[in-house]
Amino acid sequence: MPNKEMLLIPGPTPVVDEIYEALAAETWAHTDPRFVSVFANSLKLTKQLFNTDGEVFVIAGSGTLAMEMAVVNVLAPGEKLLVISQGYFGDRFVPLAQTHGIQVETLQAEWGQQVDPGAVADKLARESFKAVTLTHVDTSTGVVADLAALVPIIKRSGALLILDGVCAAAALDEDMQKEYGAPDYKIDLVLTGSQKAIGVPPGLAIVAFGPRALAAREARGLVGGYYVDIKNWLPIMENPGRYYATPPVNMIYAFNRGMEIVMKEDLPRRYRRHEALGKAVRAALSTYGMKPLASEQAAAPTLTCFLYPEGVDDLAFRRALAAKGVVIAGALASLAGKAFRIGHMGNVTGEMFSQAIRLMGETLTEMGHAVNSEAAVAKFREVYQF
């Protein structure tokens, strides 16, 4: 099934034929040994992705469901959560947690900026929190969190670290056994969805619990939810032949193939590819007068939010570009109409972006903003040596 458009939004990302073919395969019974084998393999690969010695959960749902699973399984009503936010999707943890009676406080960075580690250290020195949420890459701003600076500060406080990896998993390192300065300074929980850097259609919520996060769930007792309670899913993750709720059979086929593609590429190489791709896209589009919201130091490998040059109509530009087969996303909140977001993650290629960058230049020129498309493409290829 060939893709008719280049879907270069922050997610879902383009799906390759191998994954479409897996998705379109004959639906087996969810207890069929053939399906059980596929599901088990996908779980094994997911554990490898996060290098966890805990447990992973892959269930029907979205990244938002994964966020809720992460929070409600380790925090009881009345307990305190610190939300470190670098954009819209960091902020979403606030109403989500408050719905479950959790006390929430926030530390918010200015959009386009990374949160100040000193402010985090000061906050955690003055108050005690059961857990801290951190968005690895915020999809609204294209800002990447500085794990090397923040993880030791958070773990030193004794809090659990919940890492939102929706726009990062399979593109940035999220090794749950990595030590950030001390043996116990590790990421406790990572959540993501299937539709971004993993490159599979939307439909799966994916959560990895490390040992401390599993212990926190064990100490919780009853959880204010049935579908989201990981204790109900544990027997299935240990043996996918068991039944709790019917798994999305064809989505598991697609996810398994997607994870095979991820692991075949080799994770360190995949991380380097995304880093190089992000830099190349920013360098190329900057020649059009498009300014990344985040500085290069704070910019994510997976997506960029670009401010338009003066005089470019956002909706007209995106509509004209879509007519040429390149789909990008508008910006959110106060940036709406002033910026756009472009995803550069998953199973995308350099050739795809060479074409997209050329078409973006042509579109700007047609709108009366003359630019040099060939120079931009040359800059992309110069930077993207991969």
Side-chain angles (χ1 to χ4, degrees):
M1 177 181 176
N3 292 306
K4 297 179 180 179
E5 298 177 334
M6 283 186 279
L7 188 60
L8 303 183
I9 62 173
T13 59
V15 177
V16 297
D17 288 350
E18 293 173 67
I19 294 174
Y20 277 133
E21 289 165 5
L23 186 65
E26 181 179 359
T27 301
W28 289 327
H30 57 281
T31 54
D32 188 308
R34 295 170 296 178
F35 170 71
V36 171
S37 176
V38 172
F39 199 175
N41 189 63
S42 72
L43 295 171
K44 181 187 75 172
L45 295 176
T46 307
K47 283 189 174 183
Q48 291 175 11
L49 173 64
F50 297 115
N51 190 29
T52 181
D53 53 354
E55 188 56 82
V56 296
F57 301 84
V58 178
I59 67 173
S62 67
T64 303
L65 177 65
M67 292 169 69
E68 188 161 24
M69 287 181 69
V71 169
V72 303
N73 279 283
V74 300
L75 286 145
E79 291 185 319
K80 293 178 65 177
L81 171 69
L82 177 63
V83 172
I84 297 176
S85 176
Q86 296 177 147
Y88 175 87
F89 289 92
D91 293 345
R92 292 186 79 201
F93 276 107
V94 177
L96 187 155
Q98 289 174 336
T99 297
H100 294 277
I102 296 163
Q103 296 185 46
V104 186
E105 295 190 32
T106 61
L107 274 176
Q108 292 179 311
E110 180 181 345
W111 276 37
Q113 304 292 320
Q114 291 177 319
V115 70
D116 178 11
V120 177
D122 182 60
K123 182 72 172 177
L124 291 173
R126 288 186 285 106
E127 299 181 58
S128 177
F129 293 89
K130 174 71 173 295
V132 176
T133 64
L134 178 62
T135 306
H136 201 170
V137 172
D138 198 289
T139 311
S140 64
T141 60
V143 172
V144 63
D146 186 350
L147 297 190
L150 295 175
V151 175
I153 294 170
I154 295 167
K155 297 308 299 177
R156 196 177 301 126
S157 75
L160 292 165
L161 172 55
I162 299 171
L163 186 67
D164 178 346
V166 168
C167 204
L172 285 80
D173 184 13
E174 294 180 333
D175 185 337
M176 296 178 70
Q177 295 198 58
K178 180 177 179 179
E179 297 176 0
Y180 288 84
D184 293 334
Y185 292 0
K186 301 177 182 179
I187 300 166
D188 297 300
L189 198 156
V190 182
L191 64 98
T192 191
S194 55
Q195 75 276 18
K196 293 186 182 271
I198 296 173
V200 173
L204 294 177
I206 302 153
V207 193
F209 279 67
R212 289 190 69 229
L214 289 172
R217 170 62 194 95
E218 193 61 35
R220 275 277 284 111
L222 290 175
V223 164
Y226 184 66
Y227 190 76
V228 296
D229 187 351
I230 65 166
K231 290 195 78 172
N232 291 331
W233 289 103
L234 266 170
I236 287 77
M237 300 303 112
E238 293 167 353
N239 177 4
R242 296 172 178 164
Y243 175 76
Y244 169 57
T246 305
V249 171
N250 289 63
M251 277 300 301
I252 296 297
Y253 297 162
F255 178 63
N256 182 65
R257 189 69 194 104
M259 287 301 302
E260 288 175 342
I261 292 170
V262 167
M263 302 309 289
K264 182 179 180 181
E265 183 174 356
D266 179 63
L267 290 178
R269 176 178 171 80
R270 192 174 178 92
Y271 300 154
R272 291 193 302 271
R273 174 170 67 83
H274 279 85
E275 186 71 31
L277 185 56
K279 289 180 178 179
V281 171
R282 288 188 291 274
L285 294 186
S286 291
T287 70
Y288 293 158
M290 295 170 166
K291 182 181 177 182
L293 178 66
S295 68
E296 193 59 36
Q297 179 183 357
T302 48
L303 76 115
T304 303
C305 180
F306 281 98
L307 300 170
Y308 284 110
E310 187 175 351
V312 176
D313 182 283
D314 167 52
L315 191 56
F317 175 71
R318 289 191 289 114
R319 281 179 173 171
L321 193 59
K324 300 177 191 292
V326 179
V327 182
I328 58 175
L332 302 176
S334 63
L335 293 176
K338 303 174 184 177
F340 69 90
R341 294 173 298 147
I342 184 168
H344 32 80
M345 69 184 119
N347 298 314
V348 292
T349 65
E351 184 54 40
M352 183 182 294
F353 276 91
S354 291
Q355 183 180 356
I357 290 163
R358 179 178 290 106
L359 291 171
M360 292 174 84
E362 290 178 5
T363 303
L364 285 170
T365 299
E366 290 166 1
M367 294 177 67
H369 303 271
V371 296
N372 189 332
S373 299
E374 294 309 315
V377 172
K379 173 59 72 173
F380 173 78
R381 290 173 175 166
E382 173 191 332
V383 177
Y384 187 61
Q385 297 293 323
F386 220 89

